[in-house]
Amino acid sequence: MIPRASLFLLLLLLTGCTNPQSALNAEGSSALALKDLILLIVLVCTLIWLAVVGFLLWSLTRRREAARQDPQTERRMRRSVYTALAITALIVAGLTLASFNATRHLDAGEGPEVVIRVKAQQWWWQFTYPNADGEPAFQSANELHIPVGRRIRLELEALDVVHSLWIPSLAGKLDMIPGRKNILTLQALRPGTYRGQCAEFCGLQHSHMAFAVVAETAADYQRWWLAQAAPASLPQTEEARAGQAVFMAKPCAACHTIRGTEARGSTGPDLTHVGSRATIGAGLLERTRGSLAAWIADPQTLKPGNNMPLVPLSSDELRQVSAYLDALK
Amino acid sequence: MERLGSIKLRIAAGAGAAIALAVGLAYMRVPRQYRPDPPFTAALDQFRLMPNGISGTPPEAYFAAGKPYEKTAFDLSQGKRLYSWFGCAACHGAEGTGGKGPSFVDGWWLYGPSMASIVGSIRDGRPHGMPAFKSRMTSDEIWQLAGYIKALGAYSASVNAPGRNDDKLGRPAENRAPAAIVFDQGPTPMHPDQGPTP
């Protein structure tokens, strides 16, 4: 009978295969090549381990004979050592070839590329989408939308320290180094929402530096692109209008951009369509009006050390600003 | 043999206690406070300059807290970040050596080198082009930036340093008193880069 604990452990390990952030839940062409490589290496190493342990057990339990020093035994022993050496060399060479082959598949994909500029900074992600002329059209924060099946070219930059972009379900990780541009190409094979995460320790809130990758059909992507490229919607309610006035008068507008208004700060995330995003604070909280208000009221308690200052607001102002931001769909 | 063992044990215990003490003292010397205490910030908000716009006494709470914006490396680092975030470099130079606006490292201060004057300059602006930042920065940020500017213009080296630059610097690092080296003696009119007298 299998003990209950090991069943539980098995279940726990199996959840890794459906997780939105797992190299075993491969939905991209690069990730599939890597997954095959991982499985091949695990399989080969398991067989080797079983063979070695089996041989060890056999040699421990076999009946000990009187040590015979005749030339025939010597020759047999030498032959088995050479055979084992040859098998080892073959296995290492085979795994090297498999690894080389997987690396060749990392850049796969056909057709014109979708270019997206990624800037990592403590502790969030900025995605800049260019228009047809290559000029920046709009920015998104911590939410990367990509069309399924197209080849995506991510131009990776870091603004402060070394970060690393990792979307395990779509591709391997690649470091982002200040003063340098690294290129990662990837391709999503199926629509879905995957999770990306900074994979290089970058300071206090490294663990809270995540983003969502939304892979969608060409039509959905086009719809999303047009909605994001449009300037911010005008506030409809009295409360939201008051919130806009507060946002412009307080230090908020010095760091954040809301296109279509006079808020043109460039150091914080672009909030033009913040109401359309699923999370805030780089995957820290689900975006609701309440979490927006909580974040504005006390960012340093929710995510200590981040660069959003505590801007003193009255409770009325806080309500108005959160209504305004939540309505920026 | 047994005696020797107990001496070793004592030395090890002593070393452990010394390390724990050093870590504790280091933490107490530079506590890193990410969240400004609202009553403390409110006290800073009350701060006013003298009627002529030069100098003034920071609130009592600032001294009670041990002048954090001038003394903690974290606040100095934040000030350094804000220096580039809020575009100070456009007029005062990327290294604070001046440009359209006055230099911070030549030893000349139009409104005096006190923290109060620097905070006042950033918060309320000054004639001849210095904009007011009170609607763009929180008071915590203004004081952090002022602490960094003050460190730039210090005449003596300090143990409190902001983060280092990635690229090559044209002047000594902030904590090594760049102003003491770049300081150029002479009467004020000899420094046309200071701009017009207020």
Side-chain angles (χ1 to χ4, degrees), chain A residues 160 204 249-251 254-255 267 298 300-301 304-305 307 309-311, chain B residues 34-36 38 45 74 78 81 85-86 134-138 141 166:
Chain A
D160 35 38
L204 201 63
K250 295 282 176 179
C255 293
T267 48
D298 201 349
Q300 295 301 327
T301 299
N307 287 333
L310 195 166
V311 178
Chain B
Y34 301 110
R35 183 180 184 275
D45 283 338
F74 174 69
Q78 294 297 92
R81 173 177 63 78
W85 271 33
F86 285 91
K134 62 169 167 283
S135 64
R136 284 181 255 178
M137 301 168 78
T138 64
E141 288 180 314
D166 281 341

Short mmCIF file of all heavy atoms in Angstrom, two decimals, chain A residues 160 204 249-251 254-255 267 298 300-301 304-305 307 309-311, chain B residues 34-36 38 45 74 78 81 85-86 134-138 141 166:
data_model
loop_
_atom_site.label_atom_id
_atom_site.label_comp_id
_atom_site.label_asym_id
_atom_site.label_seq_id
_atom_site.Cartn_x
_atom_site.Cartn_y
_atom_site.Cartn_z
N ASP A 160 17.81 49.91 -13.90
CA ASP A 160 18.57 50.15 -12.68
C ASP A 160 19.57 49.03 -12.38
O ASP A 160 20.77 49.24 -12.43
CB ASP A 160 17.63 50.39 -11.49
CG ASP A 160 16.36 49.56 -11.57
OD1 ASP A 160 16.44 48.40 -12.00
OD2 ASP A 160 15.29 50.07 -11.19
N LEU A 204 14.78 44.09 -2.72
CA LEU A 204 13.79 43.75 -1.69
C LEU A 204 12.52 43.11 -2.23
O LEU A 204 12.03 42.14 -1.70
CB LEU A 204 13.45 45.05 -0.96
CG LEU A 204 12.85 44.93 0.41
CD1 LEU A 204 13.84 44.27 1.33
CD2 LEU A 204 12.49 46.30 0.92
N ALA A 249 -3.63 67.61 -9.61
CA ALA A 249 -3.12 68.63 -8.68
C ALA A 249 -2.06 68.05 -7.74
O ALA A 249 -1.16 68.76 -7.30
CB ALA A 249 -4.27 69.21 -7.88
N LYS A 250 -2.15 66.76 -7.46
CA LYS A 250 -1.23 66.13 -6.51
C LYS A 250 0.00 65.60 -7.24
O LYS A 250 0.03 65.57 -8.48
CB LYS A 250 -1.95 64.99 -5.79
CG LYS A 250 -3.11 65.45 -4.92
CD LYS A 250 -2.60 66.01 -3.62
CE LYS A 250 -3.77 66.55 -2.80
NZ LYS A 250 -3.33 67.08 -1.52
N PRO A 251 1.01 65.13 -6.52
CA PRO A 251 2.23 64.64 -7.19
C PRO A 251 2.02 63.44 -8.11
O PRO A 251 2.94 63.08 -8.84
CB PRO A 251 3.14 64.26 -6.02
CG PRO A 251 2.67 65.07 -4.88
CD PRO A 251 1.19 65.20 -5.06
N ALA A 254 3.13 63.79 -11.69
CA ALA A 254 4.55 64.02 -11.97
C ALA A 254 5.26 62.73 -12.36
O ALA A 254 6.32 62.77 -12.97
CB ALA A 254 5.24 64.65 -10.75
N CYS A 255 4.69 61.58 -12.00
CA CYS A 255 5.36 60.31 -12.30
C CYS A 255 4.56 59.43 -13.25
O CYS A 255 5.11 58.53 -13.87
CB CYS A 255 5.62 59.52 -11.01
SG CYS A 255 6.83 60.30 -9.94
N THR A 267 8.23 58.27 -15.06
CA THR A 267 9.00 57.38 -14.21
C THR A 267 8.16 56.26 -13.62
O THR A 267 8.68 55.22 -13.24
CB THR A 267 9.69 58.16 -13.09
OG1 THR A 267 8.74 59.02 -12.49
CG2 THR A 267 10.83 58.99 -13.63
N ASP A 298 -1.37 53.55 1.04
CA ASP A 298 -0.19 53.12 1.79
C ASP A 298 0.66 52.14 0.99
O ASP A 298 0.73 50.96 1.31
CB ASP A 298 -0.63 52.49 3.11
CG ASP A 298 0.48 52.50 4.13
OD1 ASP A 298 1.63 52.81 3.72
OD2 ASP A 298 0.23 52.22 5.30
N GLN A 300 3.81 51.72 0.85
CA GLN A 300 5.00 51.20 1.51
C GLN A 300 4.70 50.10 2.51
O GLN A 300 5.60 49.40 2.94
CB GLN A 300 5.77 52.33 2.19
CG GLN A 300 6.33 53.36 1.23
CD GLN A 300 7.28 52.76 0.21
OE1 GLN A 300 8.00 51.81 0.48
NE2 GLN A 300 7.27 53.30 -0.99
N THR A 301 3.44 49.96 2.90
CA THR A 301 3.09 48.83 3.76
C THR A 301 2.78 47.61 2.90
O THR A 301 3.12 46.48 3.26
CB THR A 301 1.88 49.18 4.64
OG1 THR A 301 2.25 50.28 5.47
CG2 THR A 301 1.48 48.03 5.52
N PRO A 304 6.93 47.14 0.68
CA PRO A 304 7.95 48.03 1.28
C PRO A 304 9.15 48.24 0.37
O PRO A 304 9.65 47.28 -0.23
CB PRO A 304 8.35 47.29 2.55
CG PRO A 304 7.23 46.38 2.86
CD PRO A 304 6.63 46.00 1.53
N GLY A 305 9.58 49.49 0.25
CA GLY A 305 10.79 49.80 -0.51
C GLY A 305 10.52 50.18 -1.95
O GLY A 305 11.44 50.58 -2.65
N ASN A 307 9.12 52.37 -5.24
CA ASN A 307 9.37 53.79 -5.47
C ASN A 307 8.12 54.65 -5.50
O ASN A 307 8.19 55.83 -5.85
CB ASN A 307 10.14 53.97 -6.78
CG ASN A 307 11.58 53.54 -6.61
OD1 ASN A 307 12.12 53.59 -5.51
ND2 ASN A 307 12.20 53.09 -7.68
N PRO A 309 5.67 56.88 -3.67
CA PRO A 309 5.65 57.53 -2.36
C PRO A 309 4.24 57.54 -1.76
O PRO A 309 3.26 57.37 -2.47
CB PRO A 309 6.10 58.95 -2.67
CG PRO A 309 5.65 59.18 -4.06
CD PRO A 309 5.71 57.85 -4.77
N LEU A 310 4.21 57.71 -0.46
CA LEU A 310 2.93 57.86 0.22
C LEU A 310 2.50 59.31 0.03
O LEU A 310 3.06 60.21 0.63
CB LEU A 310 3.11 57.51 1.70
CG LEU A 310 1.89 57.25 2.56
CD1 LEU A 310 2.33 56.58 3.86
CD2 LEU A 310 1.10 58.48 2.87
N VAL A 311 1.51 59.53 -0.81
CA VAL A 311 1.01 60.89 -1.04
C VAL A 311 -0.16 61.12 -0.09
O VAL A 311 -1.15 60.40 -0.15
CB VAL A 311 0.54 61.06 -2.50
CG1 VAL A 311 -0.02 62.44 -2.72
CG2 VAL A 311 1.69 60.79 -3.45
N TYR B 34 11.05 52.69 5.20
CA TYR B 34 10.46 52.89 3.88
C TYR B 34 9.22 53.77 3.95
O TYR B 34 8.91 54.50 3.04
CB TYR B 34 10.08 51.54 3.26
CG TYR B 34 11.24 50.62 3.13
CD1 TYR B 34 11.37 49.49 3.91
CD2 TYR B 34 12.27 50.92 2.23
CE1 TYR B 34 12.45 48.66 3.78
CE2 TYR B 34 13.35 50.10 2.11
CZ TYR B 34 13.43 48.96 2.88
OH TYR B 34 14.51 48.15 2.76
N ARG B 35 8.51 53.63 5.05
CA ARG B 35 7.22 54.31 5.15
C ARG B 35 7.38 55.50 6.08
O ARG B 35 7.59 55.33 7.27
CB ARG B 35 6.19 53.35 5.74
CG ARG B 35 4.81 53.91 5.84
CD ARG B 35 3.89 52.86 6.44
NE ARG B 35 2.52 53.32 6.46
CZ ARG B 35 2.04 54.07 7.43
NH1 ARG B 35 2.78 54.44 8.44
NH2 ARG B 35 0.76 54.44 7.36
N PRO B 36 7.33 56.73 5.53
CA PRO B 36 7.46 57.88 6.41
C PRO B 36 6.28 57.93 7.38
O PRO B 36 5.14 57.67 6.99
CB PRO B 36 7.44 59.06 5.45
CG PRO B 36 6.84 58.56 4.18
CD PRO B 36 7.13 57.10 4.12
N PRO B 38 3.36 59.31 9.18
CA PRO B 38 2.51 60.46 8.82
C PRO B 38 2.63 61.68 9.76
O PRO B 38 2.72 62.79 9.26
CB PRO B 38 1.11 59.87 8.78
CG PRO B 38 1.32 58.45 8.39
CD PRO B 38 2.61 58.06 9.05
N ASP B 45 5.75 69.29 6.87
CA ASP B 45 4.92 70.16 6.03
C ASP B 45 4.76 71.54 6.65
O ASP B 45 4.54 72.52 5.94
CB ASP B 45 3.53 69.53 5.84
CG ASP B 45 3.59 68.39 4.84
OD1 ASP B 45 4.52 68.37 4.03
OD2 ASP B 45 2.69 67.52 4.88
N PHE B 74 20.10 55.21 3.01
CA PHE B 74 18.92 54.91 2.20
C PHE B 74 18.28 56.20 1.68
O PHE B 74 17.97 56.32 0.50
CB PHE B 74 17.91 54.11 3.02
CG PHE B 74 16.61 53.88 2.30
CD1 PHE B 74 16.56 53.05 1.19
CD2 PHE B 74 15.44 54.51 2.71
CE1 PHE B 74 15.37 52.85 0.51
CE2 PHE B 74 14.25 54.32 2.03
CZ PHE B 74 14.22 53.48 0.94
N GLN B 78 17.84 57.48 -2.17
CA GLN B 78 16.57 57.89 -2.74
C GLN B 78 16.69 59.29 -3.34
O GLN B 78 16.17 59.57 -4.40
CB GLN B 78 15.46 57.87 -1.68
CG GLN B 78 15.12 56.49 -1.16
CD GLN B 78 14.57 55.59 -2.24
OE1 GLN B 78 15.32 54.86 -2.88
NE2 GLN B 78 13.27 55.63 -2.47
N ARG B 81 18.29 59.12 -6.66
CA ARG B 81 17.33 58.65 -7.67
C ARG B 81 16.40 59.80 -8.08
O ARG B 81 16.16 60.03 -9.27
CB ARG B 81 16.52 57.49 -7.11
CG ARG B 81 15.38 57.04 -8.00
CD ARG B 81 14.67 55.84 -7.42
NE ARG B 81 14.01 56.08 -6.15
CZ ARG B 81 12.84 56.71 -6.02
NH1 ARG B 81 12.22 57.17 -7.07
NH2 ARG B 81 12.31 56.88 -4.82
N TRP B 85 15.17 61.52 -11.55
CA TRP B 85 13.75 61.36 -11.87
C TRP B 85 13.07 62.69 -12.15
O TRP B 85 12.19 62.78 -12.99
CB TRP B 85 13.03 60.66 -10.71
CG TRP B 85 13.02 59.18 -10.83
CD1 TRP B 85 14.01 58.42 -11.37
CD2 TRP B 85 12.01 58.29 -10.38
NE1 TRP B 85 13.65 57.10 -11.29
CE2 TRP B 85 12.44 56.99 -10.70
CE3 TRP B 85 10.78 58.46 -9.76
CZ2 TRP B 85 11.68 55.86 -10.40
CZ3 TRP B 85 10.03 57.34 -9.47
CH2 TRP B 85 10.47 56.06 -9.78
N PHE B 86 13.43 63.72 -11.39
CA PHE B 86 12.71 64.99 -11.52
C PHE B 86 13.48 66.00 -12.36
O PHE B 86 13.22 67.20 -12.30
CB PHE B 86 12.32 65.53 -10.14
CG PHE B 86 11.17 64.77 -9.56
CD1 PHE B 86 11.38 63.67 -8.76
CD2 PHE B 86 9.86 65.11 -9.88
CE1 PHE B 86 10.32 62.92 -8.26
CE2 PHE B 86 8.80 64.38 -9.39
CZ PHE B 86 9.02 63.28 -8.58
N LYS B 134 6.58 71.64 -5.11
CA LYS B 134 5.70 71.15 -4.04
C LYS B 134 4.46 70.44 -4.58
O LYS B 134 3.90 69.61 -3.90
CB LYS B 134 5.32 72.27 -3.08
CG LYS B 134 4.57 73.43 -3.64
CD LYS B 134 4.05 74.30 -2.49
CE LYS B 134 3.55 75.65 -2.98
NZ LYS B 134 4.65 76.57 -3.28
N SER B 135 4.06 70.72 -5.83
CA SER B 135 2.91 70.00 -6.36
C SER B 135 3.34 68.72 -7.08
O SER B 135 2.51 67.94 -7.51
CB SER B 135 2.13 70.88 -7.33
OG SER B 135 2.95 71.18 -8.44
N ARG B 136 4.64 68.51 -7.21
CA ARG B 136 5.10 67.33 -7.96
C ARG B 136 5.76 66.28 -7.07
O ARG B 136 5.90 65.14 -7.46
CB ARG B 136 6.11 67.77 -9.03
CG ARG B 136 5.42 68.42 -10.21
CD ARG B 136 6.40 68.80 -11.25
NE ARG B 136 6.63 70.23 -11.25
CZ ARG B 136 7.50 70.83 -12.07
NH1 ARG B 136 8.21 70.12 -12.90
NH2 ARG B 136 7.65 72.14 -12.02
N MET B 137 6.23 66.71 -5.89
CA MET B 137 6.90 65.74 -5.00
C MET B 137 6.24 65.78 -3.64
O MET B 137 5.74 66.83 -3.21
CB MET B 137 8.39 66.11 -4.85
CG MET B 137 9.15 66.13 -6.15
SD MET B 137 10.78 66.89 -5.96
CE MET B 137 11.69 65.58 -5.20
N THR B 138 6.27 64.66 -2.92
CA THR B 138 5.80 64.68 -1.54
C THR B 138 6.89 65.32 -0.67
O THR B 138 8.05 65.41 -1.09
CB THR B 138 5.52 63.25 -1.03
OG1 THR B 138 6.76 62.54 -1.02
CG2 THR B 138 4.56 62.52 -1.95
N GLU B 141 9.91 63.22 -0.18
CA GLU B 141 10.81 63.19 -1.34
C GLU B 141 11.63 64.47 -1.42
O GLU B 141 12.83 64.43 -1.74
CB GLU B 141 10.01 63.01 -2.63
CG GLU B 141 9.43 61.62 -2.80
CD GLU B 141 8.65 61.47 -4.10
OE1 GLU B 141 7.84 62.37 -4.42
OE2 GLU B 141 8.83 60.46 -4.78
N ASP B 166 27.06 53.75 -12.09
CA ASP B 166 27.54 52.68 -12.96
C ASP B 166 28.65 53.20 -13.87
O ASP B 166 29.59 52.49 -14.18
CB ASP B 166 26.40 52.15 -13.83
CG ASP B 166 25.52 51.19 -13.06
OD1 ASP B 166 25.98 50.70 -12.02
OD2 ASP B 166 24.38 50.96 -13.48
#
